Structure formats: structure tokens, C-alpha cells
Amino acid sequence: MARPTVIRNEAILEAARAVFLERGILATSAEVAQRAGVSEGSLFKRFKTKADLFRAAMGLDVQDTPPAVAQLPSRVGVGSVEENLRAALLDSIAYVERIFPIAMMSWSNPKVNECMPFGNDEEPPPLKMQRFVADYLTAEAALGRVRPINAKVLARAFTGAVSGYVFTELVVARRGLEAIDRESYVREYVSTMWAGMIPQTAEARPRSSRSRAGAASRSAVGASAAST
């Protein structure tokens, strides 16, 4: 008697991904099993629920945090704040580009909430990313490398820049319009953001303040010379 063919998990996930992309999140496990050439029971021996199968098939590890964002605690006081934020923003955009289409697919079918990318997480990835950025900016401000700021507001603006870029580029791509290069977007955004966070040191005081101070000093010297 011939031994049954062993189907690798990769083959099942490939079939599942094809079915979910064709039918959306409402595709059934039976459809996936048929496409993969296995029984539905065999499918659930490998993946306990349809939600587990969906997440695995779509390559969605919702516990991930963009690498450069996860490294922010170790970057406090190290290197350039501007460079650290650029790296974090680039990684965040790449991460959201991966999960955004899947999230939209899930949210369009609220009846299958268990398959939503982070609907049941205590701290969804976008909020976790926001917390990392806020904590980083707070720590840098404590070191004097960033002027006193509302770190939570800036962290929310940071995550908004991520989702705004990803969503807009999806729309632009569908309409055949000119895209904005990711690196250029990140460079310009962080540069503008950083301009409002530069520490207000003596060397960085506005020119007008230095000019007024210099004028006052020259006037005092002139008055002293006139009285002698």
C-alpha cells in the first residue's frame, strides 16, 4: 500500500493565501483544503482556527514591531536623534505597507473579527509603535538632546505620517499618478519635524535675540565712552 503524500505547511499556506486573496476573508477553510488537496480535518491539525490559518497564510505576525522602532530604547543618547527617527520612520512604513491591505480586507468584514490583524490585542501594533516613539523622545528630552516637547503628540504625528504615506501611495498607484519616493518623503518629514525639536541652546538661539543682545551691549559701551 502506497504511503499517503505528505503535504508541507508551505504548500498549504500558499494555497490558503491564493484563496484568501481571491475570495477575501470570508473564504472558508473547506475551500482552502480543497485548493491544497487535503482534508479539512488535516488542515485543523496544523492550524487550530481559521484565524490562525489566515494570519499564517498572509504572513502577518502582529506581534512584530518595526526593527528600528524596537531599537529606539537602546538609541537614547546615541547617534543623531534625526537619524534615529528617519530609520524608525522608514521601518514603520515598510511594516504598515505589509499589514495595511490585510487589515483593510479584515475590517471590511466585521463578522469575522477573529481574523482582524490586531483587533483583539491589548496593545495593537500602531499604539505600541507610538509608545516606543513617545518614550524615546521623552528620554532624549531629559538628556537635553531634544527641547521640551509633548512627546505623545509628536508620536501620534509620527504614526500619522506612516499611515498617511501608505494610504496615499495606494491611491496614487491605482490612479497611475506620480508617487513620492519613500526615502525622500521620510527625509523631508523628519527634517521638518526635527526643526521644531532642536534644543534651544545658546548657540541655537534665534538670530534676532543675539542681534538685540549685541546692540544693547554696543549701546552700553558707547554710553560709557561718551561719559569719559
Side-chain angles (χ1 to χ4, degrees), residues 180-208:
I180 296 179
D181 174 72
R182 186 193 302 173
E183 283 73 17
S184 297
Y185 174 84
V186 167
R187 184 172 56 253
E188 291 297 328
Y189 183 86
V190 173
S191 177
T192 302
M193 186 180 182
W194 172 242
M197 297 190 296
I198 298 173
Q200 199 78 348
T201 62
E203 292 75 23
R205 281 185 302 171
R207 179 171 178 159
S208 57

PDB file of all heavy atoms in Angstrom, residues 180-208:
ATOM      1  N   ILE A 180       5.620  59.525  -4.516  1.00  0.00           N
ATOM      2  CA  ILE A 180       6.715  60.186  -3.816  1.00  0.00           C
ATOM      3  C   ILE A 180       7.642  59.098  -3.289  1.00  0.00           C
ATOM      4  O   ILE A 180       7.200  58.181  -2.590  1.00  0.00           O
ATOM      5  CB  ILE A 180       6.210  61.041  -2.638  1.00  0.00           C
ATOM      6  CG1 ILE A 180       5.342  62.190  -3.148  1.00  0.00           C
ATOM      7  CG2 ILE A 180       7.375  61.592  -1.824  1.00  0.00           C
ATOM      8  CD1 ILE A 180       4.777  63.069  -2.052  1.00  0.00           C
ATOM      9  N   ASP A 181       8.897  59.187  -3.657  1.00  0.00           N
ATOM     10  CA  ASP A 181       9.874  58.209  -3.212  1.00  0.00           C
ATOM     11  C   ASP A 181       9.869  58.126  -1.685  1.00  0.00           C
ATOM     12  O   ASP A 181       9.859  59.144  -0.988  1.00  0.00           O
ATOM     13  CB  ASP A 181      11.259  58.630  -3.711  1.00  0.00           C
ATOM     14  CG  ASP A 181      12.347  57.743  -3.162  1.00  0.00           C
ATOM     15  OD1 ASP A 181      12.437  56.586  -3.591  1.00  0.00           O
ATOM     16  OD2 ASP A 181      13.097  58.213  -2.289  1.00  0.00           O
ATOM     17  N   ARG A 182       9.870  56.897  -1.151  1.00  0.00           N
ATOM     18  CA  ARG A 182       9.781  56.695   0.294  1.00  0.00           C
ATOM     19  C   ARG A 182      10.902  57.389   1.050  1.00  0.00           C
ATOM     20  O   ARG A 182      10.679  58.051   2.061  1.00  0.00           O
ATOM     21  CB  ARG A 182       9.793  55.196   0.620  1.00  0.00           C
ATOM     22  CG  ARG A 182       9.560  54.884   2.095  1.00  0.00           C
ATOM     23  CD  ARG A 182       9.883  53.438   2.409  1.00  0.00           C
ATOM     24  NE  ARG A 182       9.102  52.515   1.611  1.00  0.00           N
ATOM     25  CZ  ARG A 182       9.298  51.192   1.602  1.00  0.00           C
ATOM     26  NH1 ARG A 182      10.269  50.673   2.322  1.00  0.00           N
ATOM     27  NH2 ARG A 182       8.543  50.402   0.865  1.00  0.00           N
ATOM     28  N   GLU A 183      12.139  57.250   0.553  1.00  0.00           N
ATOM     29  CA  GLU A 183      13.278  57.865   1.231  1.00  0.00           C
ATOM     30  C   GLU A 183      13.174  59.395   1.240  1.00  0.00           C
ATOM     31  O   GLU A 183      13.495  60.047   2.232  1.00  0.00           O
ATOM     32  CB  GLU A 183      14.592  57.434   0.577  1.00  0.00           C
ATOM     33  CG  GLU A 183      15.053  56.027   0.941  1.00  0.00           C
ATOM     34  CD  GLU A 183      14.221  54.949   0.269  1.00  0.00           C
ATOM     35  OE1 GLU A 183      13.501  55.274  -0.719  1.00  0.00           O
ATOM     36  OE2 GLU A 183      14.266  53.786   0.720  1.00  0.00           O
ATOM     37  N   SER A 184      12.703  59.959   0.125  1.00  0.00           N
ATOM     38  CA  SER A 184      12.557  61.421   0.043  1.00  0.00           C
ATOM     39  C   SER A 184      11.490  61.899   1.009  1.00  0.00           C
ATOM     40  O   SER A 184      11.647  62.925   1.693  1.00  0.00           O
ATOM     41  CB  SER A 184      12.173  61.835  -1.382  1.00  0.00           C
ATOM     42  OG  SER A 184      13.189  61.489  -2.292  1.00  0.00           O
ATOM     43  N   TYR A 185      10.398  61.167   1.081  1.00  0.00           N
ATOM     44  CA  TYR A 185       9.302  61.507   2.000  1.00  0.00           C
ATOM     45  C   TYR A 185       9.797  61.505   3.438  1.00  0.00           C
ATOM     46  O   TYR A 185       9.558  62.450   4.196  1.00  0.00           O
ATOM     47  CB  TYR A 185       8.167  60.503   1.824  1.00  0.00           C
ATOM     48  CG  TYR A 185       7.036  60.660   2.814  1.00  0.00           C
ATOM     49  CD1 TYR A 185       6.003  61.578   2.595  1.00  0.00           C
ATOM     50  CD2 TYR A 185       6.984  59.884   3.965  1.00  0.00           C
ATOM     51  CE1 TYR A 185       4.964  61.715   3.496  1.00  0.00           C
ATOM     52  CE2 TYR A 185       5.947  60.018   4.875  1.00  0.00           C
ATOM     53  CZ  TYR A 185       4.932  60.928   4.635  1.00  0.00           C
ATOM     54  OH  TYR A 185       3.904  61.059   5.538  1.00  0.00           O
ATOM     55  N   VAL A 186      10.496  60.445   3.804  1.00  0.00           N
ATOM     56  CA  VAL A 186      10.993  60.311   5.177  1.00  0.00           C
ATOM     57  C   VAL A 186      11.998  61.409   5.497  1.00  0.00           C
ATOM     58  O   VAL A 186      11.952  62.026   6.569  1.00  0.00           O
ATOM     59  CB  VAL A 186      11.626  58.919   5.391  1.00  0.00           C
ATOM     60  CG1 VAL A 186      12.418  58.864   6.696  1.00  0.00           C
ATOM     61  CG2 VAL A 186      10.541  57.846   5.374  1.00  0.00           C
ATOM     62  N   ARG A 187      12.907  61.676   4.571  1.00  0.00           N
ATOM     63  CA  ARG A 187      13.932  62.694   4.800  1.00  0.00           C
ATOM     64  C   ARG A 187      13.298  64.060   5.035  1.00  0.00           C
ATOM     65  O   ARG A 187      13.660  64.771   5.977  1.00  0.00           O
ATOM     66  CB  ARG A 187      14.894  62.739   3.612  1.00  0.00           C
ATOM     67  CG  ARG A 187      16.048  63.713   3.802  1.00  0.00           C
ATOM     68  CD  ARG A 187      17.071  63.575   2.694  1.00  0.00           C
ATOM     69  NE  ARG A 187      16.488  63.748   1.365  1.00  0.00           N
ATOM     70  CZ  ARG A 187      16.287  62.766   0.498  1.00  0.00           C
ATOM     71  NH1 ARG A 187      16.629  61.522   0.814  1.00  0.00           N
ATOM     72  NH2 ARG A 187      15.757  62.999  -0.693  1.00  0.00           N
ATOM     73  N   GLU A 188      12.343  64.444   4.191  1.00  0.00           N
ATOM     74  CA  GLU A 188      11.718  65.758   4.314  1.00  0.00           C
ATOM     75  C   GLU A 188      10.842  65.847   5.558  1.00  0.00           C
ATOM     76  O   GLU A 188      10.823  66.861   6.258  1.00  0.00           O
ATOM     77  CB  GLU A 188      10.874  66.057   3.065  1.00  0.00           C
ATOM     78  CG  GLU A 188      11.686  66.285   1.807  1.00  0.00           C
ATOM     79  CD  GLU A 188      12.589  67.503   1.918  1.00  0.00           C
ATOM     80  OE1 GLU A 188      12.217  68.470   2.608  1.00  0.00           O
ATOM     81  OE2 GLU A 188      13.672  67.483   1.324  1.00  0.00           O
ATOM     82  N   TYR A 189      10.096  64.780   5.842  1.00  0.00           N
ATOM     83  CA  TYR A 189       9.200  64.812   7.007  1.00  0.00           C
ATOM     84  C   TYR A 189       9.991  64.933   8.301  1.00  0.00           C
ATOM     85  O   TYR A 189       9.684  65.768   9.161  1.00  0.00           O
ATOM     86  CB  TYR A 189       8.315  63.569   7.042  1.00  0.00           C
ATOM     87  CG  TYR A 189       7.327  63.607   8.188  1.00  0.00           C
ATOM     88  CD1 TYR A 189       6.099  64.244   8.041  1.00  0.00           C
ATOM     89  CD2 TYR A 189       7.645  63.055   9.432  1.00  0.00           C
ATOM     90  CE1 TYR A 189       5.206  64.335   9.101  1.00  0.00           C
ATOM     91  CE2 TYR A 189       6.758  63.140  10.494  1.00  0.00           C
ATOM     92  CZ  TYR A 189       5.540  63.772  10.321  1.00  0.00           C
ATOM     93  OH  TYR A 189       4.666  63.862  11.379  1.00  0.00           O
ATOM     94  N   VAL A 190      11.007  64.081   8.457  1.00  0.00           N
ATOM     95  CA  VAL A 190      11.783  64.104   9.696  1.00  0.00           C
ATOM     96  C   VAL A 190      12.565  65.403   9.827  1.00  0.00           C
ATOM     97  O   VAL A 190      12.711  65.943  10.931  1.00  0.00           O
ATOM     98  CB  VAL A 190      12.723  62.879   9.778  1.00  0.00           C
ATOM     99  CG1 VAL A 190      13.651  62.985  10.989  1.00  0.00           C
ATOM    100  CG2 VAL A 190      11.905  61.590   9.857  1.00  0.00           C
ATOM    101  N   SER A 191      13.047  65.927   8.717  1.00  0.00           N
ATOM    102  CA  SER A 191      13.772  67.192   8.754  1.00  0.00           C
ATOM    103  C   SER A 191      12.871  68.307   9.286  1.00  0.00           C
ATOM    104  O   SER A 191      13.290  69.130  10.115  1.00  0.00           O
ATOM    105  CB  SER A 191      14.269  67.552   7.348  1.00  0.00           C
ATOM    106  OG  SER A 191      14.907  68.805   7.342  1.00  0.00           O
ATOM    107  N   THR A 192      11.626  68.331   8.832  1.00  0.00           N
ATOM    108  CA  THR A 192      10.674  69.338   9.297  1.00  0.00           C
ATOM    109  C   THR A 192      10.319  69.112  10.762  1.00  0.00           C
ATOM    110  O   THR A 192      10.234  70.064  11.558  1.00  0.00           O
ATOM    111  CB  THR A 192       9.391  69.292   8.440  1.00  0.00           C
ATOM    112  OG1 THR A 192       9.736  69.514   7.069  1.00  0.00           O
ATOM    113  CG2 THR A 192       8.397  70.349   8.889  1.00  0.00           C
ATOM    114  N   MET A 193      10.126  67.864  11.113  1.00  0.00           N
ATOM    115  CA  MET A 193       9.800  67.501  12.500  1.00  0.00           C
ATOM    116  C   MET A 193      10.942  67.892  13.437  1.00  0.00           C
ATOM    117  O   MET A 193      10.737  68.468  14.507  1.00  0.00           O
ATOM    118  CB  MET A 193       9.536  65.993  12.566  1.00  0.00           C
ATOM    119  CG  MET A 193       9.056  65.454  13.885  1.00  0.00           C
ATOM    120  SD  MET A 193       8.812  63.648  13.771  1.00  0.00           S
ATOM    121  CE  MET A 193       8.199  63.291  15.424  1.00  0.00           C
ATOM    122  N   TRP A 194      12.176  67.600  12.995  1.00  0.00           N
ATOM    123  CA  TRP A 194      13.349  67.870  13.811  1.00  0.00           C
ATOM    124  C   TRP A 194      13.561  69.370  14.025  1.00  0.00           C
ATOM    125  O   TRP A 194      14.007  69.806  15.085  1.00  0.00           O
ATOM    126  CB  TRP A 194      14.582  67.241  13.169  1.00  0.00           C
ATOM    127  CG  TRP A 194      15.884  67.608  13.814  1.00  0.00           C
ATOM    128  CD1 TRP A 194      16.924  68.278  13.254  1.00  0.00           C
ATOM    129  CD2 TRP A 194      16.286  67.336  15.168  1.00  0.00           C
ATOM    130  NE1 TRP A 194      17.943  68.443  14.151  1.00  0.00           N
ATOM    131  CE2 TRP A 194      17.574  67.871  15.340  1.00  0.00           C
ATOM    132  CE3 TRP A 194      15.667  66.698  16.238  1.00  0.00           C
ATOM    133  CZ2 TRP A 194      18.265  67.792  16.541  1.00  0.00           C
ATOM    134  CZ3 TRP A 194      16.349  66.617  17.449  1.00  0.00           C
ATOM    135  CH2 TRP A 194      17.635  67.160  17.589  1.00  0.00           C
ATOM    136  N   ALA A 195      13.201  70.170  13.029  1.00  0.00           N
ATOM    137  CA  ALA A 195      13.376  71.623  13.138  1.00  0.00           C
ATOM    138  C   ALA A 195      12.619  72.192  14.331  1.00  0.00           C
ATOM    139  O   ALA A 195      13.033  73.204  14.905  1.00  0.00           O
ATOM    140  CB  ALA A 195      12.915  72.305  11.851  1.00  0.00           C
ATOM    141  N   GLY A 196      11.543  71.538  14.720  1.00  0.00           N
ATOM    142  CA  GLY A 196      10.774  72.013  15.861  1.00  0.00           C
ATOM    143  C   GLY A 196      11.207  71.394  17.173  1.00  0.00           C
ATOM    144  O   GLY A 196      10.619  71.707  18.222  1.00  0.00           O
ATOM    145  N   MET A 197      12.224  70.533  17.141  1.00  0.00           N
ATOM    146  CA  MET A 197      12.662  69.853  18.363  1.00  0.00           C
ATOM    147  C   MET A 197      14.090  70.200  18.760  1.00  0.00           C
ATOM    148  O   MET A 197      14.571  69.762  19.797  1.00  0.00           O
ATOM    149  CB  MET A 197      12.564  68.322  18.181  1.00  0.00           C
ATOM    150  CG  MET A 197      11.167  67.813  17.959  1.00  0.00           C
ATOM    151  SD  MET A 197      11.091  66.009  18.056  1.00  0.00           S
ATOM    152  CE  MET A 197      12.098  65.539  16.661  1.00  0.00           C
ATOM    153  N   ILE A 198      14.794  70.984  17.926  1.00  0.00           N
ATOM    154  CA  ILE A 198      16.195  71.309  18.207  1.00  0.00           C
ATOM    155  C   ILE A 198      16.308  72.008  19.559  1.00  0.00           C
ATOM    156  O   ILE A 198      15.560  72.947  19.835  1.00  0.00           O
ATOM    157  CB  ILE A 198      16.771  72.217  17.104  1.00  0.00           C
ATOM    158  CG1 ILE A 198      16.734  71.496  15.752  1.00  0.00           C
ATOM    159  CG2 ILE A 198      18.191  72.642  17.436  1.00  0.00           C
ATOM    160  CD1 ILE A 198      17.132  72.364  14.582  1.00  0.00           C
ATOM    161  N   PRO A 199      17.219  71.559  20.408  1.00  0.00           N
ATOM    162  CA  PRO A 199      17.380  72.191  21.727  1.00  0.00           C
ATOM    163  C   PRO A 199      17.684  73.675  21.589  1.00  0.00           C
ATOM    164  O   PRO A 199      18.444  74.094  20.713  1.00  0.00           O
ATOM    165  CB  PRO A 199      18.568  71.434  22.342  1.00  0.00           C
ATOM    166  CG  PRO A 199      18.627  70.151  21.603  1.00  0.00           C
ATOM    167  CD  PRO A 199      18.150  70.448  20.214  1.00  0.00           C
ATOM    168  N   GLN A 200      17.099  74.484  22.462  1.00  0.00           N
ATOM    169  CA  GLN A 200      17.283  75.935  22.407  1.00  0.00           C
ATOM    170  C   GLN A 200      18.534  76.321  23.210  1.00  0.00           C
ATOM    171  O   GLN A 200      18.474  76.970  24.236  1.00  0.00           O
ATOM    172  CB  GLN A 200      16.037  76.629  22.980  1.00  0.00           C
ATOM    173  CG  GLN A 200      15.892  78.082  22.586  1.00  0.00           C
ATOM    174  CD  GLN A 200      15.375  78.223  21.165  1.00  0.00           C
ATOM    175  OE1 GLN A 200      15.336  77.265  20.416  1.00  0.00           O
ATOM    176  NE2 GLN A 200      14.980  79.429  20.800  1.00  0.00           N
ATOM    177  N   THR A 201      19.696  75.931  22.718  1.00  0.00           N
ATOM    178  CA  THR A 201      20.952  76.251  23.384  1.00  0.00           C
ATOM    179  C   THR A 201      21.363  77.670  23.061  1.00  0.00           C
ATOM    180  O   THR A 201      20.773  78.331  22.202  1.00  0.00           O
ATOM    181  CB  THR A 201      22.065  75.293  22.919  1.00  0.00           C
ATOM    182  OG1 THR A 201      22.247  75.472  21.513  1.00  0.00           O
ATOM    183  CG2 THR A 201      21.707  73.852  23.207  1.00  0.00           C
ATOM    184  N   ALA A 202      22.420  78.126  23.719  1.00  0.00           N
ATOM    185  CA  ALA A 202      22.901  79.488  23.446  1.00  0.00           C
ATOM    186  C   ALA A 202      23.288  79.643  21.986  1.00  0.00           C
ATOM    187  O   ALA A 202      23.043  80.670  21.362  1.00  0.00           O
ATOM    188  CB  ALA A 202      24.096  79.793  24.345  1.00  0.00           C
ATOM    189  N   GLU A 203      23.908  78.561  21.439  1.00  0.00           N
ATOM    190  CA  GLU A 203      24.353  78.629  20.034  1.00  0.00           C
ATOM    191  C   GLU A 203      23.172  78.601  19.080  1.00  0.00           C
ATOM    192  O   GLU A 203      23.274  79.054  17.950  1.00  0.00           O
ATOM    193  CB  GLU A 203      25.281  77.461  19.726  1.00  0.00           C
ATOM    194  CG  GLU A 203      26.624  77.503  20.440  1.00  0.00           C
ATOM    195  CD  GLU A 203      26.490  77.128  21.909  1.00  0.00           C
ATOM    196  OE1 GLU A 203      25.511  76.448  22.256  1.00  0.00           O
ATOM    197  OE2 GLU A 203      27.371  77.525  22.694  1.00  0.00           O
ATOM    198  N   ALA A 204      22.031  78.022  19.531  1.00  0.00           N
ATOM    199  CA  ALA A 204      20.894  77.861  18.629  1.00  0.00           C
ATOM    200  C   ALA A 204      19.825  78.921  18.833  1.00  0.00           C
ATOM    201  O   ALA A 204      18.752  78.828  18.283  1.00  0.00           O
ATOM    202  CB  ALA A 204      20.282  76.466  18.833  1.00  0.00           C
ATOM    203  N   ARG A 205      20.119  79.954  19.680  1.00  0.00           N
ATOM    204  CA  ARG A 205      19.132  80.997  19.886  1.00  0.00           C
ATOM    205  C   ARG A 205      18.826  81.713  18.575  1.00  0.00           C
ATOM    206  O   ARG A 205      19.697  81.857  17.719  1.00  0.00           O
ATOM    207  CB  ARG A 205      19.650  82.032  20.899  1.00  0.00           C
ATOM    208  CG  ARG A 205      19.529  81.572  22.345  1.00  0.00           C
ATOM    209  CD  ARG A 205      19.935  82.678  23.278  1.00  0.00           C
ATOM    210  NE  ARG A 205      21.309  83.116  23.011  1.00  0.00           N
ATOM    211  CZ  ARG A 205      21.846  84.182  23.578  1.00  0.00           C
ATOM    212  NH1 ARG A 205      21.138  84.933  24.393  1.00  0.00           N
ATOM    213  NH2 ARG A 205      23.102  84.505  23.302  1.00  0.00           N
ATOM    214  N   PRO A 206      17.594  82.206  18.408  1.00  0.00           N
ATOM    215  CA  PRO A 206      17.251  82.931  17.182  1.00  0.00           C
ATOM    216  C   PRO A 206      18.196  84.102  16.960  1.00  0.00           C
ATOM    217  O   PRO A 206      18.624  84.757  17.901  1.00  0.00           O
ATOM    218  CB  PRO A 206      15.807  83.415  17.462  1.00  0.00           C
ATOM    219  CG  PRO A 206      15.278  82.457  18.476  1.00  0.00           C
ATOM    220  CD  PRO A 206      16.465  82.079  19.325  1.00  0.00           C
ATOM    221  N   ARG A 207      18.479  84.374  15.717  1.00  0.00           N
ATOM    222  CA  ARG A 207      19.420  85.440  15.380  1.00  0.00           C
ATOM    223  C   ARG A 207      18.958  86.783  15.916  1.00  0.00           C
ATOM    224  O   ARG A 207      19.750  87.612  16.347  1.00  0.00           O
ATOM    225  CB  ARG A 207      19.580  85.511  13.861  1.00  0.00           C
ATOM    226  CG  ARG A 207      20.535  86.608  13.434  1.00  0.00           C
ATOM    227  CD  ARG A 207      20.834  86.517  11.975  1.00  0.00           C
ATOM    228  NE  ARG A 207      21.718  87.590  11.570  1.00  0.00           N
ATOM    229  CZ  ARG A 207      22.463  87.565  10.500  1.00  0.00           C
ATOM    230  NH1 ARG A 207      22.464  86.491   9.745  1.00  0.00           N
ATOM    231  NH2 ARG A 207      23.217  88.586  10.161  1.00  0.00           N
ATOM    232  N   SER A 208      17.638  87.009  15.886  1.00  0.00           N
ATOM    233  CA  SER A 208      17.111  88.290  16.343  1.00  0.00           C
ATOM    234  C   SER A 208      17.453  88.530  17.805  1.00  0.00           C
ATOM    235  O   SER A 208      17.752  89.655  18.215  1.00  0.00           O
ATOM    236  CB  SER A 208      15.587  88.342  16.156  1.00  0.00           C
ATOM    237  OG  SER A 208      14.978  87.263  16.841  1.00  0.00           O
TER     238      SER A 208
END
